[in-house]
Amino acid sequence: TEEDIACGSAPLSDADADQWLADTKNPQQYAQQLLGGSGGFAKCRRFWWAHFLGCFKGTDPEGWASEVEGLRERYQKLIEKNKVKKTSLTALDPNVFHPLANVAHNPWAVKHESEELMNEIWKDVERTFSERDFFQSEAVRRGMQRVLFTWCKQHSELSYRQGMNEIVGVIFEMIGREQYGGLAFSNPFARIFSGTFEHIEADAFTIFEALMGTGKLKLMFMPAPTPRRTSGVTASGGLPSSSSGGGTSAGGVRSIARKPISAASLGLGG
């Protein structure tokens, strides 16, 4: 079992469950209250962040609880999928697959790459908000590492970038603070706001994945696009002469004036 998480805040109560149930009757009205500053200190963000990021398709508490449990199962399956089991390595033909074999999809190479990725993530996780008691928990740190590793294995085209660890850290602490402490353990509220560590970790993955995708935070970590070069050869086969809109290099090739890339051009707003 994982160690208990010291959250520094009182667990969610039955009164919080009643208020959440009332707020779910009209989610858009609740969102407007929060945006207008009249909603007070927002609780139950563990649900609302996922809800407004489109993680749920249901329309009632029982449906949402079932979806949350399904997403938790999906996360556990992804963890198992990304494991390279020792038994699977020892069962390989050593004449074909070994640590130095230059063959496609070599499980030994996959294992080595996974270990390197885990180590890279861990270096940043160890430094993430380390002054806060919450992040001094070994269980929390390892949970953050698994969340980041699992997401990166699903998005190998980008993989890990510094800064992702801080986003996961904020999500992890928020979820850790929102655990149900009442007695009705089988109702939808208790199932959604479970205090089981593996549920906290899985919910953190769900919200992080949604923020990076639906929330478009992934764009923050994408490499800058390579400027496209236009051909310097004219229809007649010669080099173009200089004209307004660009200068001419020493070799006679016209340079192209390029507009700077703006946030608006990337769909991030003005």
Side-chain angles (χ1 to χ4, degrees), residues 164-226:
M164 293 180 181
N165 55 305
E166 295 181 345
I167 297 173
V168 169
V170 170
I171 296 169
F172 225 103
E173 185 170 16
M174 177 274 292
I175 293 176
R177 287 176 175 273
E178 298 197 337
Q179 304 174 42
Y180 175 63
L183 300 176
F185 294 114
S186 62
N187 68 24
F189 186 81
R191 289 156 61 195
I192 292 171
F193 295 91
S194 166
T196 303
F197 185 85
E198 66 179 25
H199 295 167
I200 291 172
E201 180 181 326
D203 294 353
F205 174 82
T206 295
I207 292 177
F208 177 68
E209 183 179 48
L211 276 173
M212 295 294 278
T214 306
K216 299 187 183 299
L217 289 191
K218 184 179 177 181
L219 293 175
M220 294 171 52
F221 302 98
M222 297 292 286
T226 303

Side-chain angles (χ1 to χ4, degrees), residues 7-268:
C7 302
S9 63
L12 297 175
S13 65
D14 290 325
D16 294 320
D18 292 339
Q19 183 60 57
W20 170 79
L21 190 60
D23 291 334
T24 59
K25 302 293 185 185
N26 193 334
Q28 296 307 317
Q29 179 179 326
Y30 178 67
Q32 290 301 320
Q33 289 176 349
L34 292 178
L35 292 173
S38 60
F41 177 75
K43 285 190 175 182
C44 304
R45 292 165 294 179
R46 182 175 178 176
F47 168 80
W48 289 115
W49 286 13
H51 177 79
F52 289 125
L53 283 166
C55 297
F56 309 136
K57 296 182 175 64
T59 57
D60 62 90
E62 185 64 38
W64 294 324
S66 296
E67 287 184 89
V68 167
E69 290 167 344
L71 289 167
R72 289 167 181 166
E73 290 179 9
R74 171 179 174 261
Y75 175 64
Q76 293 304 322
K77 289 178 180 178
L78 288 175
I79 289 178
E80 289 301 314
K81 173 186 173 184
N82 293 324
K83 286 181 179 178
V84 180
K85 296 180 175 63
K86 185 177 180 179
T87 53
S88 66
L89 294 174
T90 55
L92 296 171
D93 181 352
N95 294 316
V96 179
F97 295 106
H98 54 81
L100 300 180
N102 186 22
V103 294
H105 309 297
N106 184 354
W108 286 99
V110 174
K111 179 177 182 293
H112 178 68
E113 291 169 2
S114 294
E115 289 174 348
E116 284 192 331
L117 177 59
M118 287 287 275
N119 290 335
E120 181 184 2
I121 292 170
W122 181 250
K123 290 176 184 177
D124 285 342
V125 166
E126 278 192 306
R127 298 192 292 262
T128 304
F129 308 130
S130 57
E131 72 283 359
R132 300 177 67 85
D133 292 341
F134 180 82
F135 295 96
Q136 293 173 17
S137 161
E138 180 75 8
V140 169
R141 290 177 176 179
R142 291 299 177 185
M144 290 172 58
Q145 183 189 36
R146 283 189 294 270
V147 166
L148 286 163
F149 175 79
T150 303
W151 186 89
C152 291
K153 293 293 284 186
Q154 295 300 112
H155 299 84
S156 57
E157 77 286 354
L158 179 60
S159 193
Y160 177 70
R161 297 288 186 274
Q162 283 188 331
M164 293 180 181
N165 55 305
E166 295 181 345
I167 297 173
V168 169
V170 170
I171 296 169
F172 225 103
E173 185 170 16
M174 177 274 292
I175 293 176
R177 287 176 175 273
E178 298 197 337
Q179 304 174 42
Y180 175 63
L183 300 176
F185 294 114
S186 62
N187 68 24
F189 186 81
R191 289 156 61 195
I192 292 171
F193 295 91
S194 166
T196 303
F197 185 85
E198 66 179 25
H199 295 167
I200 291 172
E201 180 181 326
D203 294 353
F205 174 82
T206 295
I207 292 177
F208 177 68
E209 183 179 48
L211 276 173
M212 295 294 278
T214 306
K216 299 187 183 299
L217 289 191
K218 184 179 177 181
L219 293 175
M220 294 171 52
F221 302 98
M222 297 292 286
T226 303
R228 291 185 300 174
R229 294 187 178 183
T230 58
S231 173
V233 181
T234 65
S236 60
L239 292 174
S241 59
S242 62
S243 62
S244 60
T248 304
S249 67
V253 179
R254 184 167 60 113
S255 62
I256 308 299
R258 299 184 179 92
K259 295 181 179 179
I261 298 173
S262 65
S265 68
L266 294 174
L268 300 176

